[in-house]
Amino acid sequence: LGIEVQGTNVEARVQEMKDLLSSHTDDEILNSKPMTDPTMIIAMKFLGKLETGMTQIMPKSVSYVTFKIIQLSLTHGMSPVSPLGFAYYGSYLAKQGNINEGYHYV
């Protein structure tokens, strides 16, 4: 599908997400165009299923998939899977004690 999910450490991945999201306003995110590329839509569906399964099998690796979902959503448009990525990201932030920041994305 032409996408890669590579890992560094979780803290670095979360910082990358914060940097990526800080370059977009809430209005830009909420009013993003819908995803239209069929390949990206399939990739997002795959990532959504992967993310859900990884929460049980490899919970520490979920952030890599979450970042990819958010990155593809901001680059190629929002898909029905996009909210899942934002919800997982917000949930992760809340678990780390950043409840207000986490709530912002869920």
Side-chain angles (χ1 to χ4, degrees):
L1 294 173
I3 59 169
E4 289 185 31
V5 177
Q6 296 180 342
T8 53
N9 65 38
V10 174
E11 291 81 20
R13 186 58 59 173
V14 170
Q15 188 57 50
E16 286 180 54
M17 281 191 269
K18 285 182 181 182
D19 294 343
L20 177 64
L21 289 167
S22 70
S23 66
H24 294 80
T25 66
D26 290 345
D27 283 337
E28 288 173 341
I29 293 171
L30 291 171
N31 296 311
S32 293
K33 62 182 172 47
M35 189 175 286
T36 56
D37 181 351
T39 303
M40 286 296 114
I41 292 170
I42 290 170
M44 290 288 281
K45 287 179 180 179
F46 172 76
L47 289 170
K49 291 185 183 301
L50 181 64
E51 185 171 48
T52 303
M54 285 178 72
T55 60
Q56 300 297 317
I57 300 167
M58 299 171 57
K60 292 185 179 184
S61 299
V62 171
S63 65
Y64 307 121
V65 179
T66 299
F67 178 74
K68 186 51 81 173
I69 289 173
I70 292 173
Q71 182 184 41
L72 291 174
S73 296
L74 294 175
T75 305
H76 297 282
M78 296 293 164
S79 83
V81 177
S82 298
L84 184 63
F86 286 98
Y88 272 97
Y89 176 60
S91 173
Y92 178 82
L93 292 175
K95 288 178 189 172
Q96 299 305 309
N98 300 322
I99 294 171
N100 288 335
E101 190 177 359
Y103 182 73
H104 184 83
Y105 293 103
V106 297

